[in-house]
Amino acid sequence: MRINLNFTNKGQVAIENFSNDELIEIFSRYMNTLTKKYNIDIIVPVEVNQNIITDSSLIVMAENVKCDVEVFFKELGRDIKIPLKKRLEGKLDTVFKTEIIE
């Protein structure tokens, strides 16, 4: 299952403070932590995420999904604000919208 994490306007401003590799690392780390709580395997393919900031989207692949995908990414959206806010002045609301492509 392919999932697009489409960044909101504020999310776009926040991710501009990071390199592409940093974003892949941050999202991978936070998703791996959440997979301990949720029964899902998540992969962030580097080859399709070469221009996250320009595309304003991060593509992830989910396998062995045995949980509510919407709930998983809603919690990720809350958790991911922590590292993004460290380089952003001001308030950070919703970082991304989840688009599930099966």
Side-chain angles (χ1 to χ4, degrees):
M1 169 185 307
R2 176 181 162 153
I3 297 117
N4 293 346
L5 305 180
N6 300 315
F7 293 99
T8 61
N9 289 339
K10 289 213 174 192
Q12 179 68 28
V13 170
I15 67 170
E16 288 175 354
N17 295 302
F18 294 86
S19 71
N20 209 67
D21 291 338
E22 287 176 313
L23 291 169
I24 291 172
E25 170 65 28
I26 291 167
F27 274 86
S28 296
R29 187 174 58 233
Y30 275 79
M31 284 188 272
N32 286 338
T33 300
L34 279 178
T35 59
K36 295 174 185 170
K37 180 178 177 183
Y38 293 94
N39 198 357
I40 186 171
D41 294 330
I42 297 286
I43 300 164
V44 181
V46 176
E47 62 277 358
V48 296
N49 287 302
Q50 294 296 315
N51 298 305
I52 298 169
I53 296 166
T54 305
D55 298 342
S56 192
S57 180
L58 178 78
I59 299 166
V60 299
M61 303 302 287
E63 298 175 344
N64 304 318
V65 179
K66 297 180 180 131
C67 69
D68 187 330
V69 176
E70 293 289 336
V71 172
F72 176 86
F73 284 102
K74 188 174 184 178
E75 188 164 338
L76 175 66
R78 284 192 305 264
D79 293 349
I80 206 75
K81 287 180 188 179
I82 296 165
L84 297 183
K85 282 171 56 173
K86 288 181 181 177
R87 293 192 194 173
L88 178 70
E89 293 182 22
K91 188 176 178 188
L92 183 58
D93 297 322
T94 305
V95 176
F96 60 82
K97 303 269 186 206
T98 306
E99 177 187 10
I100 299 171
I101 302 168
E102 297 191 41

